Amino acid sequence: MKTPTEPPRPTGPSAEGSRPAPVKAVPVRHPGRWVASGALLVLAAMFVNMLVTNEKFNWPFMFENMFSAPVLNGVWTTLKLTVLAMLLGISLGIAVAVMRLSGNPVLATLAWLYTWFFRAVPRLVLCVLFGNLGILYQNLELGLPFDNYWMPLLGLEGDARFFSVPMNDVLTPFMAALLALALSQGAYMAEIVRAGLLSVDKGQTEAAQALGMSRGKTLRRITLPQALRVIVPPTGNEVTAMLKDTSLVSAIPLTTELFFQLQAIGNRTFDLFPMLVAACIWYLAITSLLMAGQFFLERSFTKGDRKAQAEIAIMQSKAGH
């Protein structure tokens, strides 16, 4: 008995003609992009040509003065002011954020009033205000409060103040600038820290307290490490903003600050514009370094967040047993 066989397949040119031809994909053309790119390149070339050919930039004069001793001292003052203001601002922000989340209505109200005032008043106004605080008091004194009221009622003469120092000796231009910037920064950091603390699941705090951890230890070991992933990115932006806002203290005036020194050179030589360009270059350079540091800091805190999550998982498993 013969088994059925398949019909022979056609061969030759007719067989190739029965198959569909391969599709040749043609990329979509975007002529508008090329036109825009060309226009931008032309504008960039015009900008570079202006930098090179316009004599008003006075590049030799700018490079000669932007690395002078007073300007380098101004760079150091700017960096020092930025670091100290941020350290004080972060410390104040953490304390005020914890007060805002406290169940005590007095602490919560005081924290809200602090953030309301220092977020509402511009930093330039604060710098001028703190620079003129010496108008209020000639001396800074410490002692018992309201002594000028209760001592006459008791028939006592004199005062109950045991320490006094001239206000101008304490409230130097640098200290006035530091207070203005730090108090303002503390209000912004309080909101950033509060948002980070609220982003952590409350169940993890409850699990830590169920294991007998104190409120402070829970905040330090559980809540803050996880909140840092929310806190660190905007804090890095605040550091950059603080560096730029140090230029506002020239209104106090803080004469050792970077922008004040560059502006003073421009005013003294009647060639101000090159010094303004030098200020832009200095701030660009320092800000670029801060942005690079922020990148590595965020990456390190991401690793720390994974470690905290692992520790929480271990604690939750122990609590389940």
Side-chain angles (χ1 to χ4, degrees):
M1 186 174 179
K2 295 183 180 180
T3 57
T5 58
E6 295 181 359
R9 296 180 179 180
T11 58
S14 60
E16 295 180 359
S18 62
R19 297 179 181 177
V23 177
K24 184 178 180 181
V26 178
V28 179
R29 293 177 174 83
H30 301 281
R33 295 181 183 179
W34 289 104
V35 172
S37 300
L40 291 176
L41 288 175
V42 171
L43 292 175
M46 293 173 62
F47 179 74
V48 173
N49 179 71
M50 178 196 66
L51 294 178
V52 174
T53 59
N54 197 320
E55 297 180 354
K56 298 298 182 180
F57 283 97
N58 201 351
W59 295 104
F61 169 79
M62 186 190 72
F63 286 114
E64 178 184 355
N65 288 276
M66 70 179 295
F67 296 104
S68 60
V71 173
L72 293 179
N73 184 44
V75 173
W76 168 243
T77 301
T78 295
L79 292 175
K80 183 168 59 173
L81 192 60
T82 301
V83 172
L84 292 177
M86 285 305 304
L87 289 177
L88 290 175
I90 291 172
S91 301
L92 282 171
I94 294 174
V96 174
V98 174
M99 290 171 61
R100 283 287 303 272
L101 298 175
S102 173
N104 190 318
V106 176
L107 294 179
T109 302
L110 291 176
W112 182 86
L113 288 174
Y114 170 81
T115 56
W116 165 72
F117 177 80
F118 283 101
R119 290 180 66 195
V121 181
R123 284 183 177 174
L124 178 61
V125 177
L126 287 175
C127 289
V128 177
L129 176 67
F130 278 85
N132 291 277
L133 278 182
I135 297 174
L136 295 178
Y137 300 100
Q138 294 183 351
N139 297 313
L140 178 64
E141 299 175 333
L142 297 178
L144 299 179
F146 306 112
D147 58 339
N148 55 333
Y149 294 105
W150 57 265
M151 288 191 69
L153 295 176
L154 297 177
L156 300 176
E157 296 181 357
D159 54 50
R161 301 164 195 176
F162 50 81
F163 178 79
S164 178
V165 63
M167 181 65 78
N168 291 332
D169 293 346
V170 177
L171 197 67
T172 61
F174 182 85
M175 185 59 64
L178 180 60
L179 288 175
L181 295 178
L183 290 174
S184 176
Q185 188 59 46
Y188 288 97
M189 285 304 305
E191 293 301 295
I192 294 174
V193 173
R194 187 170 69 93
L197 295 176
L198 291 176
S199 67
V200 180
D201 187 9
K202 292 183 178 180
Q204 299 179 4
T205 303
E206 295 172 355
Q209 292 176 349
L211 293 174
M213 296 180 67
S214 64
R215 182 179 177 87
K217 190 175 182 180
T218 302
L219 181 66
R220 187 174 61 256
R221 296 283 300 275
I222 304 301
T223 308
L224 272 179
Q226 296 181 82
L228 285 175
R229 62 181 178 182
V230 178
I231 296 173
V232 170
T235 302
N237 296 333
E238 289 296 319
V239 174
T240 304
M242 177 60 68
L243 174 70
K244 295 182 292 185
D245 286 344
T246 55
S247 61
L248 300 176
V249 303
S250 60
I252 289 179
L254 180 59
T255 59
T256 57
E257 187 266 334
L258 172 61
F259 182 66
F260 187 94
Q261 286 293 332
L262 291 170
Q263 199 172 25
I265 295 174
N267 292 332
R268 186 174 64 250
T269 58
F270 300 101
D271 201 357
L272 180 61
F273 190 79
M275 292 297 96
L276 297 178
V277 176
C280 295
I281 294 175
W282 269 117
Y283 286 117
L284 279 171
I286 301 173
T287 302
S288 300
L289 293 177
L290 291 177
M291 292 173 65
Q294 179 185 356
F295 170 77
F296 291 106
L297 185 64
E298 290 179 7
R299 191 166 65 175
S300 65
F301 274 116
T302 302
K303 297 178 182 178
D305 181 62
R306 296 196 193 101
K307 184 177 179 181
Q309 291 284 358
E311 185 175 353
I312 290 166
I314 293 174
M315 289 196 317
Q316 289 176 343
S317 62
K318 289 180 180 180
H321 291 301

